[in-house]
Amino acid sequence: MRPGRNAVALLAGGLLALGGCAHAPPKLAPDVEARLARTQGGYLTGTVAGVEVEAVLNRRDFIWGLAFAPRGGRVAYSRLGSKQYFLSIWSLGPPPVLLADPAINPYEFDVEGVAFSPDGGLVATAGKDGVVRLFDAATGALRGERRTEEPLGTVAFHPDGKWLVAGSDKGLMTVLAVPGLEYASEERGHEGPVSALAFAPDGTLYSGGWDKHVRAWRTGVEALRPGQARVRFERRGDSVVLGGVVNGRAPVMLSLDARTPAIVLTSAAATAAGIDVPFLKETLNIPGALGTTVARLARGQTLNFKSLRLEGVDIAVCDACVPQGLQGVLGTPFIERVEVAFDEVTQEAVLTLKGGPPEGARTVDALVLAPRSDFTFPAYVSDVTVDARGQRLGVALSEQKPERNREVYERERKGVEEPRGPFNAGALVDARSGQVLQKWPLHQGVVSTAAISPDGRSLASGGWDKRVYLFTEGEDAARGEREFDWSVRRVRFSPDGRQVGVAAWTPQEVSSSGDSDPAAVLLGVRYVEPSVVAPQ
């Protein structure tokens, strides 16, 4: 029997490949059960006593991100199939039932960010392809998507449900409006990957990063008159390339070229932007190295660069006028309206409307992030969660950079155990001061995830040592432990505190059913003498 099988052997009998209850949930006293049922948004509080396996939702895939719905009794996780990532959405039951399993993006782009809207009606994903996607939580239908400039690793909804924030692998936090996913604002909050985003009930945002910081951000809606934007750029030979969006529909990569007397799109990009190319009547002559090309002309279009919006833009449609691999060219009309400066430190182009926003330009409401606190740790921050009152944080800390590479895989293949360390730990942290209230350095190597209980008294942690621990404040020893067969990627408490969801990788085995070891699991939490807390 392979290492890790003993702890999950009880799951092997009678479970379906993608789900099924192993045990009934840990029983509560009838009066506690009744009060929890009638207290909307209520959660359990007390000393945890242990965990029991309730259900295995998946035993064949690599599971990456996992989240519970604040309302609606659902859980969702991202899984890697044979050629694509999928979003599996379940009702919690009992028994759990798979509601939807839509595809997200190709397998080349990991999807770690998963989050439910506050009402439980939407699920957002954030992937390494740089795209935020919104799915209907009941049907799995795609409700919207927005391409950002950088690979994404995490996403979180604001408590009012009108905004979400996506964190990138390069430290950028982008605020988008819900449900349209329009760009609102941004802050480069960390150096290197943003590893976690978590909102407190009052709207305070906590972000964690591989720069060994947890930062707190005040949030507020401001009326902005967009006249400037900072946009990532890249150099391709003698050209500078910027990313924009045409008519709010088509993300495009555009070459900046003052020699071209028009703003130009390829026919494919124009069609994606809603331009009916065959029915365009006007034309424009565009000179080039091989002579003049007659291009069709679409008047009165819009062009967005984040918060900077150009209206009344005339766009020429010409495939031969656009460099290979791009979707368009920003020619003289763009240069006449927009001043472009380059920040080589951040690799961003600063775009400013000449003369400022036009008279009478409408203001746009946007959620804006403002720094509040900065907590520095002597270890990499892998994960951050916040309790139901917004008073405590659960933080995953690792002395080794939590980056999977060939060296890590070789050590795992050879069975080399990583060392314990004082800051390979899950920690309870005061949300106002950043003080570490208690930490538990039991994991060997990287601690990839930490989930604080709704009452802020307990912590579940998971790591690349294949283990999940459950701790309660005031005690050094774990109150519960589970072992999996490969790295644990994510642990999360359910909003009522009754369950811990676990996302893990599982070795790929050759079997008639395709089954392997448990990868997405619901653990029931047992309490010594639980009571019910109503939300404030």
Side-chain angles (χ1 to χ4, degrees):
M1 202 173 277
R2 294 180 304 160
R5 287 270 190 184
N6 290 333
V8 293
L10 72 157
L11 301 174
L15 291 178
L16 299 175
L18 286 178
C21 265
H23 296 283
K27 289 186 178 297
L28 297 172
D31 61 323
V32 176
E33 184 83 55
R35 186 178 179 201
L36 185 62
R38 66 174 181 264
T39 304
Q40 186 174 356
Y43 53 88
L44 298 175
T45 184
T47 300
V48 298
V51 290
E52 300 172 1
V53 175
E54 286 188 18
V56 175
L57 306 182
N58 185 296
R59 53 165 66 247
R60 63 175 62 183
D61 298 311
F62 287 3
I63 311 299
W64 291 73
L66 179 145
F68 285 95
R71 296 170 57 187
R74 294 179 178 133
V75 67
Y77 55 80
S78 56
R79 67 178 184 89
L80 175 58
S82 59
K83 294 183 179 181
Q84 288 183 299
Y85 276 87
F86 293 85
L87 177 68
S88 298
I89 308 171
W90 294 73
S91 68
L92 291 175
V97 176
L98 182 63
L99 300 176
D101 194 39
I104 304 174
N105 58 236
Y107 71 91
E108 295 93 342
F109 304 106
D110 299 342
V111 181
E112 297 182 72
V114 178
F116 277 91
S117 60
D119 65 0
L122 296 171
V123 189
T125 63
K128 301 301 183 187
D129 61 352
V131 179
V132 175
R133 294 176 174 88
L134 283 182
F135 296 88
D136 187 285
T139 67
L142 182 66
R143 295 303 185 199
E145 59 183 1
R146 172 81 183 204
R147 183 173 300 278
T148 67
E149 295 181 319
E150 300 174 1
L152 302 176
T154 185
V155 65
F157 278 90
H158 187 275
D160 70 7
K162 298 177 181 179
W163 315 92
L164 60 75
V165 181
S168 86
D169 285 358
K170 299 180 181 180
L172 187 66
M173 301 188 302
T174 303
V175 183
L176 303 176
V178 176
L181 298 180
E182 299 90 355
Y183 174 87
S185 66
E186 66 182 28
E187 285 289 335
R188 195 161 295 278
H190 293 270
E191 295 180 9
V194 180
S195 58
L197 295 168
F199 275 101
D202 67 356
T204 300
L205 175 66
Y206 294 92
S207 64
W210 286 10
D211 55 3
K212 303 183 180 181
H213 289 263
V214 171
R215 293 190 168 97
W217 306 83
R218 297 184 185 90
T219 60
V221 176
E222 299 181 9
L224 305 178
R225 293 183 66 197
Q228 188 179 84
R230 299 179 69 91
V231 181
R232 296 282 292 184
F233 75 89
E234 59 179 283
R235 299 191 185 277
R236 298 187 185 180
D238 295 331
S239 298
V240 171
V241 177
L242 308 176
V245 177
V246 183
N247 293 342
R249 298 173 60 175
V252 289
M253 298 302 293
L254 305 162
S255 173
L256 191 64
D257 189 349
R259 299 168 297 179
T260 303
I263 296 174
V264 186
L265 288 181
T266 63
S267 55
T271 301
I275 298 172
D276 199 344
V277 178
F279 287 88
L280 296 176
K281 302 301 183 184
E282 292 187 69
T283 60
L284 179 71
N285 293 331
I286 300 179
L290 300 179
T292 299
T293 301
V294 179
R296 300 192 182 200
L297 187 65
R299 294 193 181 274
Q301 310 301 307
T302 62
L303 189 57
N304 283 77
F305 298 88
K306 294 186 176 176
S307 60
L308 189 148
R309 178 182 177 91
L310 297 178
E311 297 181 340
V313 175
D314 296 336
I315 292 179
V317 181
C318 176
D319 291 325
C321 307
V322 178
Q324 187 174 4
L326 299 177
Q327 288 81 50
V329 177
L330 297 171
T332 304
F334 179 81
I335 301 299
E336 290 174 346
R337 295 178 65 175
V338 180
E339 181 179 340
V340 183
F342 297 101
D343 186 336
E344 298 288 350
V345 175
T346 62
Q347 284 293 291
E348 292 174 317
V350 183
L351 309 181
T352 306
L353 284 178
K354 293 180 179 179
E359 188 70 26
R362 63 187 180 92
T363 60
V364 177
D365 287 342
L367 187 77
V368 175
L369 309 180
R372 193 205 74 183
S373 308
D374 186 356
F375 312 140
T376 305
F377 295 88
Y380 299 97
V381 176
S382 304
D383 198 9
V384 179
T385 51
V386 60
D387 70 8
R389 297 173 297 172
Q391 296 180 358
R392 289 183 171 185
L393 308 176
V395 180
L397 299 170
S398 296
E399 296 179 7
Q400 302 84 15
K401 182 179 285 189
E403 181 177 40
R404 300 202 60 92
N405 51 36
R406 180 170 294 278
E407 184 179 345
V408 171
Y409 284 110
E410 284 298 316
R411 289 199 300 267
E412 290 180 343
R413 186 180 64 83
K414 296 175 182 177
V416 176
E417 291 189 343
E418 300 286 350
R420 285 194 174 100
F423 281 95
N424 284 333
L428 288 180
V429 175
D430 182 82
R432 293 297 302 182
S433 67
Q435 177 186 356
V436 175
L437 304 174
Q438 189 168 357
K439 62 183 176 70
W440 292 274
L442 291 190
H443 286 282
Q444 293 176 282
V446 167
V447 182
S448 53
T449 181
I452 195 169
S453 60
D455 69 352
R457 296 179 56 183
S458 300
L459 189 82
S461 64
W464 293 359
D465 59 0
K466 311 174 187 177
R467 290 176 173 83
V468 170
Y469 292 108
L470 182 62
F471 305 102
T472 197
E473 67 175 339
E475 298 188 8
D476 294 331
R479 282 298 187 109
E481 178 182 353
R482 290 284 160 179
E483 188 173 357
F484 289 76
D485 222 59
W486 206 353
S487 299
V488 176
R489 306 298 301 181
R490 187 72 76 224
V491 293
R492 287 293 183 263
F493 267 90
S494 63
D496 61 6
R498 298 192 70 171
Q499 293 174 311
V500 169
V502 182
W505 289 355
T506 186
Q508 304 299 297
E509 295 183 354
V510 178
S511 66
S512 59
S513 66
D515 289 353
S516 184
D517 289 302
V521 178
L522 297 179
L523 303 176
V525 182
R526 290 184 284 109
Y527 291 82
V528 177
E529 293 181 353
S531 57
V532 177
V533 176
Q536 297 178 348

